[in-house]
PDB file of all heavy atoms in Angstrom:
ATOM      1  N   ILE A 193      10.348  29.589 -38.735  1.00  0.00           N
ATOM      2  CA  ILE A 193       9.065  28.899 -38.622  1.00  0.00           C
ATOM      3  C   ILE A 193       8.178  29.271 -39.801  1.00  0.00           C
ATOM      4  O   ILE A 193       8.066  30.444 -40.156  1.00  0.00           O
ATOM      5  CB  ILE A 193       8.342  29.292 -37.307  1.00  0.00           C
ATOM      6  CG1 ILE A 193       9.149  28.841 -36.079  1.00  0.00           C
ATOM      7  CG2 ILE A 193       6.926  28.722 -37.263  1.00  0.00           C
ATOM      8  CD1 ILE A 193       8.680  29.489 -34.781  1.00  0.00           C
ATOM      9  N   LEU A 194       7.557  28.276 -40.385  1.00  0.00           N
ATOM     10  CA  LEU A 194       6.481  28.503 -41.362  1.00  0.00           C
ATOM     11  C   LEU A 194       5.245  27.776 -40.887  1.00  0.00           C
ATOM     12  O   LEU A 194       5.284  26.563 -40.645  1.00  0.00           O
ATOM     13  CB  LEU A 194       6.863  27.979 -42.747  1.00  0.00           C
ATOM     14  CG  LEU A 194       5.705  27.916 -43.761  1.00  0.00           C
ATOM     15  CD1 LEU A 194       5.186  29.316 -44.092  1.00  0.00           C
ATOM     16  CD2 LEU A 194       6.113  27.177 -45.026  1.00  0.00           C
ATOM     17  N   VAL A 195       4.166  28.517 -40.746  1.00  0.00           N
ATOM     18  CA  VAL A 195       2.859  27.901 -40.500  1.00  0.00           C
ATOM     19  C   VAL A 195       2.034  28.120 -41.752  1.00  0.00           C
ATOM     20  O   VAL A 195       1.636  29.248 -42.065  1.00  0.00           O
ATOM     21  CB  VAL A 195       2.147  28.509 -39.271  1.00  0.00           C
ATOM     22  CG1 VAL A 195       0.797  27.826 -39.068  1.00  0.00           C
ATOM     23  CG2 VAL A 195       3.008  28.356 -38.021  1.00  0.00           C
ATOM     24  N   SER A 196       1.811  27.042 -42.486  1.00  0.00           N
ATOM     25  CA  SER A 196       1.042  27.107 -43.730  1.00  0.00           C
ATOM     26  C   SER A 196      -0.428  26.884 -43.406  1.00  0.00           C
ATOM     27  O   SER A 196      -0.876  25.757 -43.207  1.00  0.00           O
ATOM     28  CB  SER A 196       1.552  26.041 -44.714  1.00  0.00           C
ATOM     29  OG  SER A 196       0.801  26.080 -45.900  1.00  0.00           O
ATOM     30  N   ASN A 197      -1.151  27.994 -43.334  1.00  0.00           N
ATOM     31  CA  ASN A 197      -2.558  27.938 -42.940  1.00  0.00           C
ATOM     32  C   ASN A 197      -3.503  28.236 -44.102  1.00  0.00           C
ATOM     33  O   ASN A 197      -4.699  28.000 -44.005  1.00  0.00           O
ATOM     34  CB  ASN A 197      -2.808  28.934 -41.799  1.00  0.00           C
ATOM     35  CG  ASN A 197      -4.234  28.927 -41.314  1.00  0.00           C
ATOM     36  OD1 ASN A 197      -4.733  27.922 -40.814  1.00  0.00           O
ATOM     37  ND2 ASN A 197      -4.928  30.050 -41.464  1.00  0.00           N
ATOM     38  N   ALA A 198      -2.968  28.742 -45.205  1.00  0.00           N
ATOM     39  CA  ALA A 198      -3.816  29.126 -46.333  1.00  0.00           C
ATOM     40  C   ALA A 198      -4.389  27.901 -47.040  1.00  0.00           C
ATOM     41  O   ALA A 198      -3.663  26.960 -47.359  1.00  0.00           O
ATOM     42  CB  ALA A 198      -3.014  29.960 -47.320  1.00  0.00           C
ATOM     43  N   ALA A 199      -5.678  27.911 -47.262  1.00  0.00           N
ATOM     44  CA  ALA A 199      -6.355  26.816 -47.975  1.00  0.00           C
ATOM     45  C   ALA A 199      -7.722  27.306 -48.411  1.00  0.00           C
ATOM     46  O   ALA A 199      -8.227  28.315 -47.912  1.00  0.00           O
ATOM     47  CB  ALA A 199      -6.482  25.585 -47.082  1.00  0.00           C
ATOM     48  N   ILE A 200      -8.319  26.578 -49.333  1.00  0.00           N
ATOM     49  CA  ILE A 200      -9.646  26.942 -49.817  1.00  0.00           C
ATOM     50  C   ILE A 200     -10.565  25.727 -49.785  1.00  0.00           C
ATOM     51  O   ILE A 200     -10.120  24.582 -49.846  1.00  0.00           O
ATOM     52  CB  ILE A 200      -9.598  27.510 -51.249  1.00  0.00           C
ATOM     53  CG1 ILE A 200      -8.987  26.473 -52.215  1.00  0.00           C
ATOM     54  CG2 ILE A 200      -8.831  28.816 -51.285  1.00  0.00           C
ATOM     55  CD1 ILE A 200      -9.098  26.866 -53.668  1.00  0.00           C
ATOM     56  N   SER A 201     -11.840  26.007 -49.663  1.00  0.00           N
ATOM     57  CA  SER A 201     -12.880  24.972 -49.746  1.00  0.00           C
ATOM     58  C   SER A 201     -13.992  25.522 -50.642  1.00  0.00           C
ATOM     59  O   SER A 201     -15.039  25.974 -50.149  1.00  0.00           O
ATOM     60  CB  SER A 201     -13.430  24.632 -48.360  1.00  0.00           C
ATOM     61  OG  SER A 201     -12.416  24.108 -47.527  1.00  0.00           O
ATOM     62  N   PRO A 202     -13.787  25.510 -51.954  1.00  0.00           N
ATOM     63  CA  PRO A 202     -14.712  26.200 -52.855  1.00  0.00           C
ATOM     64  C   PRO A 202     -15.980  25.416 -53.179  1.00  0.00           C
ATOM     65  O   PRO A 202     -16.857  25.943 -53.874  1.00  0.00           O
ATOM     66  CB  PRO A 202     -13.873  26.381 -54.124  1.00  0.00           C
ATOM     67  CG  PRO A 202     -12.973  25.193 -54.126  1.00  0.00           C
ATOM     68  CD  PRO A 202     -12.648  24.926 -52.692  1.00  0.00           C
ATOM     69  N   PHE A 203     -16.079  24.187 -52.671  1.00  0.00           N
ATOM     70  CA  PHE A 203     -17.216  23.357 -53.076  1.00  0.00           C
ATOM     71  C   PHE A 203     -17.637  22.436 -51.946  1.00  0.00           C
ATOM     72  O   PHE A 203     -16.821  21.784 -51.307  1.00  0.00           O
ATOM     73  CB  PHE A 203     -16.822  22.512 -54.297  1.00  0.00           C
ATOM     74  CG  PHE A 203     -17.879  21.531 -54.737  1.00  0.00           C
ATOM     75  CD1 PHE A 203     -19.019  21.963 -55.407  1.00  0.00           C
ATOM     76  CD2 PHE A 203     -17.733  20.174 -54.485  1.00  0.00           C
ATOM     77  CE1 PHE A 203     -19.986  21.062 -55.801  1.00  0.00           C
ATOM     78  CE2 PHE A 203     -18.691  19.265 -54.888  1.00  0.00           C
ATOM     79  CZ  PHE A 203     -19.829  19.709 -55.548  1.00  0.00           C
ATOM     80  N   PHE A 204     -18.942  22.403 -51.683  1.00  0.00           N
ATOM     81  CA  PHE A 204     -19.510  21.454 -50.729  1.00  0.00           C
ATOM     82  C   PHE A 204     -20.594  20.668 -51.452  1.00  0.00           C
ATOM     83  O   PHE A 204     -21.531  21.246 -51.995  1.00  0.00           O
ATOM     84  CB  PHE A 204     -20.103  22.186 -49.518  1.00  0.00           C
ATOM     85  CG  PHE A 204     -19.071  22.827 -48.648  1.00  0.00           C
ATOM     86  CD1 PHE A 204     -18.650  24.132 -48.876  1.00  0.00           C
ATOM     87  CD2 PHE A 204     -18.493  22.119 -47.602  1.00  0.00           C
ATOM     88  CE1 PHE A 204     -17.690  24.726 -48.083  1.00  0.00           C
ATOM     89  CE2 PHE A 204     -17.533  22.698 -46.804  1.00  0.00           C
ATOM     90  CZ  PHE A 204     -17.128  24.006 -47.045  1.00  0.00           C
ATOM     91  N   GLY A 205     -20.428  19.364 -51.491  1.00  0.00           N
ATOM     92  CA  GLY A 205     -21.403  18.544 -52.195  1.00  0.00           C
ATOM     93  C   GLY A 205     -20.825  17.190 -52.537  1.00  0.00           C
ATOM     94  O   GLY A 205     -19.771  16.789 -52.027  1.00  0.00           O
ATOM     95  N   ASN A 206     -21.513  16.480 -53.404  1.00  0.00           N
ATOM     96  CA  ASN A 206     -21.079  15.160 -53.826  1.00  0.00           C
ATOM     97  C   ASN A 206     -19.775  15.263 -54.608  1.00  0.00           C
ATOM     98  O   ASN A 206     -19.634  16.094 -55.508  1.00  0.00           O
ATOM     99  CB  ASN A 206     -22.171  14.517 -54.692  1.00  0.00           C
ATOM    100  CG  ASN A 206     -21.953  13.032 -54.852  1.00  0.00           C
ATOM    101  OD1 ASN A 206     -20.859  12.580 -55.188  1.00  0.00           O
ATOM    102  ND2 ASN A 206     -23.004  12.257 -54.619  1.00  0.00           N
ATOM    103  N   LEU A 207     -18.824  14.400 -54.271  1.00  0.00           N
ATOM    104  CA  LEU A 207     -17.508  14.456 -54.900  1.00  0.00           C
ATOM    105  C   LEU A 207     -17.575  14.341 -56.421  1.00  0.00           C
ATOM    106  O   LEU A 207     -16.821  15.012 -57.138  1.00  0.00           O
ATOM    107  CB  LEU A 207     -16.634  13.318 -54.339  1.00  0.00           C
ATOM    108  CG  LEU A 207     -15.142  13.364 -54.660  1.00  0.00           C
ATOM    109  CD1 LEU A 207     -14.500  14.600 -54.048  1.00  0.00           C
ATOM    110  CD2 LEU A 207     -14.456  12.111 -54.154  1.00  0.00           C
ATOM    111  N   VAL A 208     -18.472  13.543 -56.920  1.00  0.00           N
ATOM    112  CA  VAL A 208     -18.554  13.338 -58.371  1.00  0.00           C
ATOM    113  C   VAL A 208     -19.094  14.570 -59.088  1.00  0.00           C
ATOM    114  O   VAL A 208     -19.010  14.666 -60.315  1.00  0.00           O
ATOM    115  CB  VAL A 208     -19.411  12.103 -58.727  1.00  0.00           C
ATOM    116  CG1 VAL A 208     -18.787  10.842 -58.155  1.00  0.00           C
ATOM    117  CG2 VAL A 208     -20.843  12.274 -58.239  1.00  0.00           C
TER     118      VAL A 208
END
Side-chain angles (χ1 to χ4, degrees):
I193 296 166
L194 168 65
V195 180
S196 179
N197 181 62
I200 59 171
S201 298
F203 175 75
F204 291 90
N206 195 311
L207 192 63
V208 298

